[in-house]
Amino acid sequence: MSATAAARPLTRTEMAARVARDIPEGWYVNLGIGIPTAVADHVPLEREVVFHSENGVLGMGPAPAKDAIDPWLINAGKQYVTLRAGGSFCHHFDSFAMIRGGHLDLCVLGAFQVAANGDIANWATSENDTAPAVGGAMDLAAGAKRLWVMMEHTAKDGSPKLVRQCSYPLTAVGAVKRVYTNLAVIDVTPQGFVVRDMAPGLGFAELQARTDAPLADGRDLG
Amino acid sequence: MIDKTVRTMAEAMEGIADGATVLVGGFGAVGQPNALIDGLIEQGAKDLVIAANNAGVGHTGLARLMELGRVRRIICSFPRSSDPVVFETLYRAGKIELEIVPQGTLAARIHAAGAGIPLFFTATGAGTKMAMGKETREIDGRTYVAETALHGDVALVEAWEADRWGNLTFRRSGRNFNPVMAMGAKLTIVQSQHIRALGEIDPDHVHTPGIFVNRVLHVPYGDPSGF
């Protein structure tokens, strides 16, 4: 299943920019650790999107310059960050009330697998994982108003990550609304996966061949 | 006169019993009560249950306490870290029990203990292995999991400012779990960067009112570093 010569998968940076394009001004957004963190770099500062971090930071700005690091200001990925004007701090219970109480407009997470019914598996790759680390993933997946996933379309061994049923332990049931991969943008609907956008030069049959669950072509529906 | 400040680490640690459940504030390197953890190592209590977000980094602090065989069980959301070698070694050898709790559920269970709520329902973890063996309930068409309060015998907290009544402020992302842990334990011990005169902290700026605090030790260590 090699790609046709014309197909060009999106780079990580292009994926981040593609997700950022769909985030409107005014949304409160949590970006998961890993690939999703880069989305913030593609939301222009004049578009006021308020980024939240689990450790009690609301209104995160870009990474600081090396000579302007505040050692008291980190994000959930334990990276140094800045705070925008209008930003605020709170404790962990309030921070997770924002998440669990449905106050976040959007959470973007990475995932190992997403099923056609919106199930997500992103915290453990085996029932017998020695010491799985869940962090805030289950709270975010269950609590945000909408959950988008950002991930490679297939695993490193080529196996599909968009599946009929997750084989890995679930993070949340029926939570995912949209998936952004390096090959496509796919909505999760009551009828299953619906393709909204595809990487340049990629054929629909080729995309389906890299996807376990059936895809509907919804590109005309926008 | 109420004076919760203590002069020595030995006073701060007095009475922590073997088998105690100890809630530890901090997230990453920020807001970690490192001096108090070292004090607990020195104090000698064993068979401890530790509730914290992480399971220790490198060979210092919580990792050191575990390495010394003093921790029976760790309750946390994220046992991985940049260097979780001590925890992973003990865990593989079956020498430490692990209870994984979603981060928001961890905060909510400790908050519940502090607020007199024995049981609550949350959507977090519904339909996952976190819900195994727990009561579930359908409310307005959605499935929720019952979670119980997590009570601490002791909380170790790091604050930015404290006064002799135990009123606390925290600095930036150093707040994190600290106010929650302070609420959830019978004996809350605070290390504070600054000690202020009573009335000097603006009442509108108090993050944790002194009612949740038992002892305050002045530990002006400066800025956090390393993760």
Side-chain angles (χ1 to χ4, degrees), chain A residues 62-85:
Chain A
K66 276 193 180 137
D67 57 356
I69 286 171
D70 179 343
W72 291 87
L73 184 42
I74 61 170
N75 64 13
K78 286 143 196 168
Q79 299 161 311
Y80 293 115
V81 292
T82 54
L83 194 75
R84 292 184 66 159

Side-chain angles (χ1 to χ4, degrees), chain A residues 70 72 92 100 130 132 135 142, chain B residues 91 100 103 105 142 172-173 223:
Chain A
D70 179 343
W72 291 87
H92 248 81
R100 292 151 67 105
T130 49
Chain B
Y91 187 70
I100 289 279
Q103 201 170 128
T105 297
R142 194 166 186 198
R172 313 215 197 290
S173 62
D223 291 332

Side-chain angles (χ1 to χ4, degrees), chain A residues 118-135:
Chain A
D119 288 359
I120 173 174
N122 87 337
W123 70 292
T125 51
S126 156
E127 290 293 343
N128 306 313
D129 197 335
T130 49
V134 69

Side-chain angles (χ1 to χ4, degrees), chain A residues 124-150:
Chain A
T125 51
S126 156
E127 290 293 343
N128 306 313
D129 197 335
T130 49
V134 69
M138 287 192 181
D139 306 286
L140 287 161
K145 282 180 195 162
R146 47 180 84 68
L147 175 64
W148 294 351
V149 163
M150 191 179 165

Side-chain angles (χ1 to χ4, degrees), chain A residues 6-219:
Chain A
R8 193 180 67 75
L10 269 59
T11 63
R12 290 276 172 92
T13 303
E14 288 169 331
M15 286 166 69
R18 181 66 187 80
V19 175
R21 209 172 88 190
D22 292 343
I23 302 176
E25 181 161 64
W27 275 17
Y28 291 85
V29 177
N30 183 296
L31 300 172
I33 296 168
I35 313 182
T37 305
V39 170
D41 300 338
H42 300 274
V43 176
L45 285 174
E46 61 271 21
R47 193 200 306 164
E48 293 195 334
V49 172
V50 183
F51 290 107
H52 169 268
S53 192
E54 293 94 306
N55 58 325
V57 186
L58 190 64
M60 260 191 307
K66 276 193 180 137
D67 57 356
I69 286 171
D70 179 343
W72 291 87
L73 184 42
I74 61 170
N75 64 13
K78 286 143 196 168
Q79 299 161 311
Y80 293 115
V81 292
T82 54
L83 194 75
R84 292 184 66 159
S88 59
F89 301 109
C90 62
H91 59 60
H92 248 81
F93 180 78
D94 281 353
S95 180
F96 277 83
M98 294 173 193
I99 296 168
R100 292 151 67 105
H103 304 280
L104 290 179
D105 295 287
L106 170 67
C107 175
V108 185
L109 291 177
F112 301 132
Q113 293 175 324
V114 174
N117 67 349
D119 288 359
I120 173 174
N122 87 337
W123 70 292
T125 51
S126 156
E127 290 293 343
N128 306 313
D129 197 335
T130 49
V134 69
M138 287 192 181
D139 306 286
L140 287 161
K145 282 180 195 162
R146 47 180 84 68
L147 175 64
W148 294 351
V149 163
M150 191 179 165
M151 64 181 191
E152 300 293 316
H153 200 85
T154 55
K156 280 183 187 139
D157 66 359
S159 61
K161 299 177 70 165
L162 288 148
V163 294
R164 278 167 281 192
Q165 193 174 2
C166 293
S167 57
Y168 294 149
L170 294 183
T171 306
V173 174
V176 180
K177 295 285 179 282
R178 178 173 271 199
V179 185
Y180 293 81
T181 76
N182 55 332
L183 299 182
V185 179
I186 295 171
D187 277 341
V188 179
T189 74
Q191 288 74 43
F193 289 138
V194 177
V195 178
R196 298 298 181 197
D197 199 0
M198 280 168 50
L202 185 71
F204 190 81
E206 199 175 358
L207 184 68
Q208 180 64 76
R210 289 154 186 263
T211 310
D212 175 53
L215 299 173
D217 191 348
R219 283 176 291 174

Side-chain angles (χ1 to χ4, degrees), chain B:
Chain B
M1 187 175 99
I2 298 169
D3 188 1
K4 298 183 181 181
T5 60
V6 293
R7 295 226 178 89
T8 66
M9 184 60 81
E11 276 179 87
M13 293 293 130
E14 195 188 329
I16 301 178
D18 292 352
T21 295
V22 182
L23 314 177
V24 182
F27 187 94
V30 184
Q32 289 278 359
N34 289 319
L36 297 181
I37 297 166
D38 288 344
L40 181 58
I41 290 170
E42 185 72 18
Q43 190 260 5
K46 56 184 190 296
D47 196 31
L48 299 168
V49 175
I50 299 288
N53 191 60
N54 294 79
V57 182
H59 292 271
T60 59
L62 279 184
R64 180 72 186 143
L65 190 66
M66 289 188 281
E67 196 168 35
L68 292 168
R70 305 258 296 279
V71 180
R72 175 169 59 83
R73 180 183 184 80
I74 180 132
I75 304 171
C76 70
S77 83
F78 209 82
R80 298 205 187 114
S81 70
S82 54
D83 184 11
V85 56
V86 169
F87 167 76
E88 292 197 345
T89 305
L90 289 170
Y91 187 70
R92 280 202 208 97
K95 289 182 175 165
I96 194 164
E97 297 166 27
L98 171 68
E99 181 179 348
I100 289 279
V101 182
Q103 201 170 128
T105 297
L106 183 63
R109 288 180 61 193
I110 295 166
H111 177 271
I117 300 165
L119 181 83
F120 62 92
F121 285 90
T122 178
T124 297
T128 77
K129 63 198 256 183
M130 291 294 175
M132 279 163 59
K134 291 175 186 163
E135 181 187 349
T136 58
R137 191 176 295 182
E138 196 162 304
I139 302 170
D140 295 335
R142 194 166 186 198
T143 303
Y144 296 87
V145 184
E147 296 282 359
T148 53
L150 172 52
H151 292 270
D153 296 301
V154 178
L156 305 183
V157 163
E158 199 230 10
W160 178 245
E161 301 169 296
D163 63 25
R164 66 178 173 82
W165 280 20
N167 294 305
L168 308 179
T169 72
F170 301 91
R171 185 170 174 81
R172 313 215 197 290
S173 62
R175 198 179 316 183
N176 59 63
F177 274 100
N178 282 303
V180 188
M181 301 323 200
M183 291 177 73
K186 284 183 235 145
L187 173 63
T188 292
I189 306 167
V190 177
Q191 67 170 81
S192 183
Q193 297 262 0
H194 303 281
I195 302 292
R196 303 293 188 210
L198 200 66
E200 201 182 337
I201 301 173
D202 184 331
D204 279 334
H205 295 167
V206 170
H207 295 138
T208 291
I211 191 170
F212 296 122
V213 171
N214 301 94
R215 296 175 191 163
V216 174
L217 182 68
H218 188 205
V219 182
Y221 72 83
D223 291 332
S225 63
F227 297 125

